[in-house]
Amino acid sequence: MPELKTDPPAAVMLRELARLGPDHGTLFSEALAQAEPAAARLRPGEGFVGLVGCGDSHYAGQAVAGPFRTLAGLRAGAVRPRDVLAGRVRDLSLLVAISASGETPAVRACLAYARDVGIPAVLVTCKPDSSCASLVDAWMVMRLPDKEPSPGIRSFQANLLALLALALRLGRVAGTLPDAQYRRLCDDVYAVDAAINATWEWTAQQAPLVAAITAPFKTTLLLGVEDTRPSLSFAAAKRMEASGLLALSEDLEEFWHLQRFVTEPVAAIVIMAPPVNQREALRAAAIGKGLGRTVIAVSDADGVEGFKEHADGVLSIAPPSNTMFRFLVDTIPLVAVASHEALELGRAPFRTDRPDLMAGLRDYLDQAGLAPS
């Protein structure tokens, strides 16, 4: 494996990625231990379970909403704070609040609302003793030793595992998961560490090559199908946080607009292709290449060869044995590319290399009377 660049600021993201495999089992054990008492105190009933968060936390909620439905047998989905606060989330019976910092203002407002109207709430966070923790019936604190300041990568994994453990425990409490199935699913989650490690091995080889292709593009369009959209939205956020380059996540169907109407090659196109949508993704890659676009394919390792004819670069994923949990793996290659793009361009995460940008914004908001209170 190539040595990681450790000196430039953006290399912190690579160090975070390198910790995902070693962290995985310990974090999931901790999550299961904390989810047991939390699930015992929460009785969602037959109402709707809202997973609420902002940014990365919203994408985590989107990713794990499926297991809340299929494993815990709950009506569940990711919701926006504004919809909770406006009362637009009907029949809300449990609020699952996600905030790595435990201080997200919109999440805190949702928890205060839930307390006031008598809706039980649980907090998933990485920070003990946060202001949000004082507003909930139960909480899960995912501690990350040796955590460096960085765009959220290890914290995103911790939130995913905490939510997954909570879904499993709620399913067990509700009786929708028999003990044998519960244990088998837990074993499946533990086994994901092998897929994480294998994907990281390939990523360390492939990501620098892909970043050299994509870094010149000010915009990257990330295309995928419904199950991959949370991962792509998270990856898009990491590109913007890493280097200030624009990234947009869209459904693969929206490629039609690009195919028909966008005549200038203004964006690199990244297509994520899980096996169930392999042919659709392959056709989109071929169309992009035929139109003279720069195309990057993200595929399970055994499907990469099919894309090489139509892609300028490929990124390989080692799928977990239980593909329900592939969201724990499939962000790794694109987040690594985002880090290497920042290294290529000499930029620091959150543009800390350009303090004048934020200073100018603060001055503008002050003059407009719109500075945060």
Side-chain angles (χ1 to χ4, degrees):
M1 184 188 300
E3 289 188 16
L4 300 182
K5 299 177 182 179
T6 56
D7 292 329
V12 66
M13 298 172 67
L14 299 177
R15 294 194 293 274
E16 290 258 302
L17 287 167
R19 289 291 298 269
L20 296 185
D23 281 352
H24 180 81
T26 302
L27 283 176
F28 188 55
S29 293
E30 178 64 25
L32 286 173
Q34 294 192 50
E36 185 171 17
R41 295 178 65 181
L42 302 167
R43 299 290 176 179
E46 296 182 359
F48 182 79
V49 177
L51 293 91
V52 67
C54 299
D56 293 353
S57 296
H58 180 67
Y59 307 141
Q62 288 179 315
V64 188
F68 268 82
R69 293 189 291 265
T70 58
L71 303 182
L74 299 169
R75 292 195 298 121
V79 295
R80 294 286 187 183
R82 60 176 174 270
D83 292 325
V84 174
L85 296 173
R88 290 192 289 264
V89 182
R90 301 297 182 188
D91 199 24
L92 184 63
S93 63
L94 173 63
L95 192 67
V96 180
I98 313 153
S99 171
S101 69
E103 304 294 343
T104 310
V107 173
R108 188 167 61 244
C110 288
L111 290 172
Y113 165 84
R115 181 193 57 187
D116 291 345
V117 300
I119 297 170
V122 58
L123 173 67
V124 172
T125 184
C126 295
K127 180 185 175 186
D129 304 320
S130 67
S131 62
C132 284
S134 65
L135 300 169
V136 296
D137 302 276
W139 56 86
M140 298 174 65
V141 179
M142 304 299 292
R143 292 172 173 83
L144 297 171
D146 306 317
K147 180 73 176 73
E148 298 181 77
S150 166
I153 298 170
R154 292 175 67 201
S155 57
F156 184 67
Q157 178 198 36
N159 284 342
L160 290 173
L161 289 170
L163 292 168
L164 195 48
L166 183 61
L168 288 163
R169 289 291 195 189
L170 286 171
R172 196 179 192 190
V173 168
T176 57
L177 281 181
D179 284 351
Q181 185 182 5
Y182 169 82
R183 288 193 296 271
R184 185 167 60 251
L185 287 165
C186 288
D187 288 344
D188 287 346
V189 177
Y190 278 116
V192 174
D193 67 345
I196 293 172
N197 289 329
T199 300
W200 174 238
E201 289 279 347
W202 290 326
T203 293
Q205 304 282 344
Q206 296 168 341
L209 305 176
V210 170
I213 296 169
T214 57
F217 287 88
K218 293 181 179 179
T219 303
T220 295
L221 180 62
L222 308 177
L223 298 170
V225 293
E226 184 175 356
D227 288 347
T228 63
R229 289 292 306 282
S231 295
L232 291 175
S233 295
F234 174 76
K238 297 308 109 175
R239 185 183 205 238
M240 291 184 280
E241 292 169 1
S243 59
L245 296 172
L246 179 62
L248 304 171
S249 165
E250 259 301 350
D251 194 280
L252 192 57
E253 288 186 355
E254 293 301 317
F255 186 73
W256 182 83
H257 289 97
L258 186 70
Q259 173 189 344
R260 290 289 301 274
F261 304 118
V262 180
T263 57
E264 298 296 326
V266 294
I269 301 167
V270 176
I271 299 172
M272 184 170 281
V276 68
N277 297 97
Q278 192 88 359
R279 182 165 179 78
E280 182 185 4
L282 187 62
R283 184 172 183 276
I287 290 171
K289 195 65 177 173
L291 291 170
R293 304 294 188 264
T294 295
V295 177
I296 305 298
V298 186
S299 172
D300 289 4
D302 59 5
V304 162
E305 285 299 322
F307 282 93
K308 286 186 176 179
E309 180 182 354
H310 308 297
D312 298 271
V314 295
L315 296 163
S316 303
I317 291 172
S321 56
N322 187 333
T323 56
M324 181 190 302
F325 306 130
R326 67 178 298 128
F327 57 78
L328 293 166
V329 181
D330 58 12
T331 60
I332 293 171
L334 291 175
V335 174
V337 169
S339 177
H340 280 289
E341 286 176 329
L343 292 170
E344 285 271 336
L345 298 170
R347 297 183 179 182
F350 306 119
R351 294 314 311 269
T352 53
D353 55 312
R354 288 287 308 277
D356 55 303
L357 295 176
M358 288 298 103
L361 174 61
R362 286 192 297 271
D363 290 345
Y364 185 87
L365 291 176
D366 284 340
Q367 293 171 13
L370 296 171
S373 55

